[in-house]
Amino acid sequence: MSSRLVAAPLALIAAGGVVAGPLLESGLPAPPQQWAFIVLALPLPALGWLLAVRRPEVRYGWLLLAAALALGLGVVGVGLSARGEAHSLATVLTALVAVFYGLTWIFVPLLFPDGRLPGRRWRAVAWISGGAVALHAGGNLAWGYNPYHLPGGPLSAAQWAGVYASAAGQLVTWVMSVVVFCGLVLRWRRSGRVERGQYAWMVGGMAATAAGAVLLSLFNIGGAQHAAVGLAGVLAVVGSLPAAIAVAVVRHRLLDVRVGLRGSRLHLVFDLRPTVDEVLSDLGTALRETPEPVEQLGRLAAAVRTGLDLRWAAVTLPDGTRVVAGHQEGAAVLELPVRGGRIECGPRQAGPLTRVDRRLLEALAVPAGLAIQSAGLVTRLINAQEAERRRIERNIHDGVQQQLVALIAGLELARATGAGPDMLANLREQARQTLADLRELAAGIHPSALSQGGLVEAVEERCSRLPVRTTVTSPPPLRARRFADEIEGAMYFTVSEAVANALKHAGAATIEVGLALDGGRLRATVADDGKGFDPATPARRGLATLEDRLDALGGSLTVDSEPGKGTRVEAWVPVDG
């Protein structure tokens, strides 16, 4: 809203000046050349207003508006000068014509297309050009330049200083305009396929403006007999660049502006990219409808590519999994680290990435990070399940299966040979051992105590068989509480893994296990007095898998340890009540 309040008055003042100035100069009825000037000059304030209002974050619209304002006020000064009225005001306003020339010859092509310098090395050109434009306008003001009423009599020293300053400023302005034009041509030749059309029209507009400046110089030298030449020069200087920018908008989607038909009316569509809310809404719907993690990453990459109008976008996980939307060509122009991975952005279809694009990408960081983390978590859980399946398969194959084969062979031999009591006793002992191994294997998959008695009873049963002093504490109401199978299983195996690590790796003499329910969270704590370790070391495969399992349930696992000071493992999951 603030951009509208500022841009609208400036555009109205500029447009009013463009209309009033020529009419003040010639009076009514105005000759055709004055109407031609008005028609060619009005698109500049209109275009500046449109871009400033609809794309206020892009400086280019404000630049065009400033040039239009300098033109409008400048031609009002020329009109007042022609009527011989308000001599001082006319001189001040006429000096703004030099500002218009400087802006259109230098800064409009230099800051094309988004209002930013092409690079750091162009800063010197911008500063020198700004000084030259100020010197030209200030010099005109100092010596009282007026195209219809030149100062009478000999000039004073101050006026001569103004003449020299004006000439020096104009000369430097011409030189800088040539430098900027050469840089524009170089950018055009180096631009990509999409930007080439935009730069081509600006190069053409700049060339036409330069031709108009030459015609104006010939008019000033030749006088009134070359009035047609002067008119052509003025029209070229005033109308060439706005026309080139308008064509770049219409044909090449400059600054994300598109011209189209809605019903029977012509309309402009600004900012073709969807809003942040639209991208987030579409992304949320796509992720809910896509259960597969890799496909979720593809939907995320596609949402980033569409939202920023990129040629390609990629999402990468820490394990190297990478999904690309579009056809990747060249290196990424922007990377954004997010939780659990990163997003890579290729170049835009039209123009460079702007600050608005970066803000949109940053707004996607949270949902993108959650999607990436979810995909990585699902992948790790699948891998962990597959590893566990293979472990159980190996245990069955190498242990119980071989025992059963040996038992069957023994039974066949006993039947063939008429086995005595000793052989039958041996076979009975083998059968008991096989049954014990099967029960232990089943307990590793899902202990019967957990299914029958609940979490507290299963943990007490597991800790009762440990060879070191182990205590289990829990509030009495928790013993009678039952939770979902996935919650009880996750907490039980977390405790089992923690006490197993305390025995195998910590050399603990005492283990304390605590179970509690508070604040809607089921908590488990396993503390030992072992040798401890550095939690930053990567040797945490079992706990890492359990951490993923808890994370999938909305919980968490933390490990607090230090060499020589034991280890404390804390886990929690959210529960109802």
Side-chain angles (χ1 to χ4, degrees), residues 388-389 391-393 395-396 437-448 450-451 485 489-490 492-493 549:
E388 182 67 12
R389 186 191 65 78
R391 183 189 69 82
I392 294 173
E393 181 182 5
N395 289 342
I396 293 175
D437 290 345
L438 275 173
R439 287 174 175 172
E440 184 176 352
L441 180 61
I445 299 174
H446 194 83
S448 58
L450 184 62
S451 301
D485 291 344
Y492 172 81
F493 286 110
R549 189 170 179 176

Side-chain angles (χ1 to χ4, degrees), residues 23 66 84-85 125 217 228 250 252 260 314 327 329 340 345 356 401 459 548:
L23 298 182
E85 301 175 0
V125 173
S217 300
V250 173
H252 300 285
H327 179 64
E329 293 180 354
C345 299
V356 177
Q401 179 177 324
V459 169
D548 288 338

Side-chain angles (χ1 to χ4, degrees), residues 335-379:
E335 290 189 13
L336 178 69
V338 295
R339 184 181 181 184
R342 70 178 186 273
I343 300 175
E344 302 173 52
C345 299
R348 291 195 62 203
Q349 296 285 359
L353 287 168
T354 65
R355 285 178 294 180
V356 177
D357 298 320
R358 295 174 187 270
R359 286 199 295 268
L360 189 147
L361 186 61
E362 291 170 357
L364 290 175
V366 173
L370 293 176
I372 291 174
Q373 184 184 19
S374 175
L377 177 61
V378 171
T379 301

